[in-house]
Amino acid sequence: MTCKRKVFGIGFQKTGTSSLGAIFDKLGYQVASYHDFRHFASRDNVDWDEISALALEIATRRDAAKDTPWPLLYRELDAAFPGSKFIHLTRDTEAWIKSAVNDFGDYPNAVHKAIYGVPFPKGHEEIWINRYERHNAEVADYFRDRPEDYLCMRLEDEFSYEAVCEFLGEPLVGTGAPVANTRLRKRINMLWRRLTSSI
């Protein structure tokens, strides 16, 4: 049974979620991520209620969560786990969509389809951008009067060990801006996803 106060990363994928997860790891949090939902990806469709139910069950056993599909569940998580903290990473929109297209291209993913309405970003850039920007606006509005529960940081110039640790009331486990997802690691992960989906 875990005892840490729960914390949820609610910034979309490609906004520094791997780096946020690395901070959680260093703090000793048990972290949930996209890995728990990979089995949905190869479907033609996945029902959002199924994603939500699995996420809420997983969250009872973990201290923290980040990456897809966790950002879309902030309302449910807030209701289910009162007193939780929420960290919202954002990124320049053009840099974000470029990174998404580079990583996901035109490779179909049912979880992406459930979030964006289309299964991949290449050729659907405006749809992905609109969903990304709508999410950022909705989250900021939802938490607008709750600075004790909500921290929003731009990846480019605000995201740091210091900001995260201070917000969580945890000891400092690093300095400056964390970097956990290099270009090589991204390519390896993409190749692995394609290989395992064809087995």
Side-chain angles (χ1 to χ4, degrees):
M1 182 75 125
T2 60
C3 59
K4 288 182 178 291
R5 174 168 44 194
K6 294 186 186 297
V7 56
F8 300 105
I10 55 173
F12 266 25
Q13 58 199 30
K14 317 313 303 173
T15 62
T17 58
S18 294
S19 297
L20 181 62
I23 296 178
F24 291 160
D25 285 337
K26 286 187 175 184
L27 288 170
Y29 286 72
Q30 297 178 35
V31 186
S33 67
Y34 172 65
H35 177 78
D36 299 291
F37 303 86
R38 284 184 185 273
H39 62 286
F40 290 141
S42 59
R43 293 188 187 179
D44 290 331
N45 293 286
V46 60
D47 184 82
W48 187 255
D49 288 340
E50 190 174 3
I51 293 173
S52 178
L54 176 59
L56 290 172
E57 188 275 322
I58 291 168
T60 64
R61 298 180 278 108
R62 308 287 176 87
D63 304 308
K66 52 87 180 177
D67 207 353
T68 302
W70 296 97
L72 277 295
L73 296 161
Y74 62 93
R75 293 181 181 89
E76 293 92 331
L77 295 167
D78 190 29
F81 305 102
S84 296
K85 298 278 194 175
F86 294 85
I87 297 177
H88 181 196
L89 296 177
T90 66
R91 183 179 186 183
D92 172 78
T93 298
E94 288 306 313
W96 176 80
I97 192 61
K98 180 179 178 181
S99 182
V101 170
N102 284 344
D103 268 16
F104 307 125
D106 58 1
Y107 189 73
N109 182 314
V111 179
H112 289 167
K113 186 175 181 181
I115 294 170
Y116 298 97
V118 292
F120 48 79
K122 189 174 182 180
H124 302 291
E125 287 86 349
E126 285 304 313
I127 293 173
W128 275 52
I129 286 171
N130 289 341
R131 186 67 188 93
Y132 169 72
E133 293 184 337
R134 178 162 61 91
H135 173 77
N136 289 341
E138 288 172 349
V139 169
D141 182 64
Y142 181 86
F143 288 104
R144 66 184 180 278
D145 298 321
R146 296 173 55 188
E148 70 284 357
D149 299 330
Y150 171 71
L151 175 66
C152 183
M153 294 175 288
R154 290 186 306 272
L155 177 66
E156 292 86 354
D157 56 7
E158 295 176 326
F159 182 34
S160 68
Y161 282 100
E162 291 89 344
V164 172
C165 292
E166 180 180 358
F167 174 66
L168 296 178
E170 295 279 12
L172 193 61
V173 292
T175 58
V179 179
N181 202 356
T182 65
R183 182 176 294 276
L184 175 61
R185 182 175 173 184
K186 291 177 186 178
R187 298 309 305 161
I188 290 171
N189 288 343
M190 176 58 73
L191 291 171
W192 177 251
R193 285 197 298 271
R194 292 190 178 196
L195 175 65
T196 55
S197 69
S198 64
I199 295 174

